[in-house]
């Protein structure tokens, strides 16, 4: 015993066994384990650019819970940031790569008056967080960039954002129309999420007169989503479309009326000089 005490005194710098810390309870032991795990750094931010101070980019938080038998154990729980990361991944898969780094207001170059107007309106909306926001018309004018920049600001504040690329999501919903459970599973999140971004609304092809020609099913889906959100004004809705205001109204006046009553709306007339994707093209 004298040898053991001497070793402990030397190792722990204690005068006697009475100075040893008391044995930890099971709860205390599990909390120490949880704290040690929660203090470690993860690397999810390397994939999506989003940094979370709560889980330190692990995506998981360890919590201590007591079982029915009275024992204490650690349980792994998803961090709230995983919902945000899911939205970011959806937007990345749609072609919006590195949205946290690339689709910012500072990277939207505004030199023309119309660009300055759009940018300032988008920035104001991202700060005020009221009503809806709509940009329609000319392709390549930066509509998606600005709408995504708004979503980026909301995501960085921890707000739940759902991204709907119309041409990808609408066909899936239409295919599920005869399956009530699956249909609701697709529609309910779109109707009820705090922030919904519909990208390329009614992007379904062109008619003979070079106008968007959505089907009756497309119109029904859009009306169901937007009417629900119209009747719940605390829900924020962002819409980009190649359709102008007049196009939307001609497609369905009830949908157009709801959008343009709620939204800060901008409509760009067809003008290829506004298509930044064509800048630098040399005709020979």
């Amino acid at each position: 015993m004298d040898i053991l005490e001497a070793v402990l005194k030397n190792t722990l710098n204690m005068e006697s066994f009475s100075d040893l810390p008391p044995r930890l309870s099971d709860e205390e032991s599990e909390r120490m384990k949880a704290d040690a795990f929660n203090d470690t750094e993860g690397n999810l931010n390397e994939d999506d650019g989003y940094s979370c101070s709560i889980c330190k980019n692990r995506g998981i938080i360890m919590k201590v819970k007591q079982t029915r038998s009275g024992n204490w154990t650690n349980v792994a729980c998803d961090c709230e940031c995983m919902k945000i990361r899911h939205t970011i991944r959806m937007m990345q898969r749609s072609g919006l790569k590195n949205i946290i780094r690339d689709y910012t207001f500072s990277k939207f170059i505004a030199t023309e008056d119309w660009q300055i107007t759009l940018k300032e309106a988008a920035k104001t909306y991202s700060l005020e967080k009221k009503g809806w926001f709509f940009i329609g018309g000319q392709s390549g004018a930066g509509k998606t960039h600005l709408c995504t920049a708004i979503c980026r600001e909301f995501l960085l504040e921890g707000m739940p954002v759902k991204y709907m690329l119309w041409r990808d999501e609408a066909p899936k919903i239409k295919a599920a129309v005869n399956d009530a459970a699956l249909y609701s599973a697709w529609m309910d999140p779109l109707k009820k999420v705090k922030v919904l971004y519909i990208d390329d609304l009614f992007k379904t092809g062109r008619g003979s007169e070079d106008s968007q020609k959505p089907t009756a099913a497309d119109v029904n889906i859009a009306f169901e989503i937007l009417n629900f959100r119209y009747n719940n004004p605390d829900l924020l809705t962002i819409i980009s479309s190649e359709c102008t205001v007049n196009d939307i109204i001609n497609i369905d006046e009830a949908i157009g009326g709801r959008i343009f009553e709620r939204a800060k709306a901008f409509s760009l007339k067809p003008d290829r000089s506004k298509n930044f994707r064509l800048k630098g093209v040399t005709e020979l």
Side-chain angles (χ1 to χ4, degrees), residues 132 230 248-249 252-263:
W132 297 6
Y230 174 85
I248 297 285
I249 292 174
D252 189 90
E253 192 167 346
I255 292 174
R258 282 160 174 76
I259 292 175
F260 304 122
E261 178 184 342
R262 286 277 185 263

Side-chain angles (χ1 to χ4, degrees), residues 3-22:
I3 297 175
L4 177 59
E5 183 172 2
V7 171
L8 286 171
K9 286 167 63 179
N10 182 60
T11 303
L12 301 177
N13 194 27
M14 295 177 179
E15 294 298 324
S16 67
F17 281 119
S18 62
D19 295 318
L20 287 172

Side-chain angles (χ1 to χ4, degrees), residues 150-163:
I150 294 171
C151 292
R152 175 186 182 275
E153 296 301 311
F154 291 162
L155 287 168
L156 292 177
E157 292 183 30
M159 295 177 65
V161 177
K162 188 164 183 61
Y163 174 72

Side-chain angles (χ1 to χ4, degrees), residues 58-74:
R58 294 181 312 274
I60 294 174
I61 299 173
M62 203 64 71
K63 295 184 179 180
V64 178
K65 293 187 177 181
Q66 190 173 29
T67 65
R68 290 183 179 179
S69 61
N71 296 324
W72 292 90
T73 186
N74 273 300

Side-chain angles (χ1 to χ4, degrees), residues 87-100:
T87 295
I88 292 172
R89 286 195 297 271
M90 283 185 62
M91 297 175 83
Q92 288 173 333
R93 284 197 295 269
S94 73
L96 302 177
K97 302 297 183 183
N98 300 319
I99 67 168
I100 296 298

Side-chain angles (χ1 to χ4, degrees), residues 11 15 83 105 114 119 129 131 183 202 210 228 254 277:
T11 303
E15 294 298 324
K83 295 177 182 178
F105 287 125
W114 64 271
K119 182 176 180 178
K129 302 177 182 64
Y183 184 80
F202 292 143
D210 199 37
F228 182 92
R277 298 189 185 102

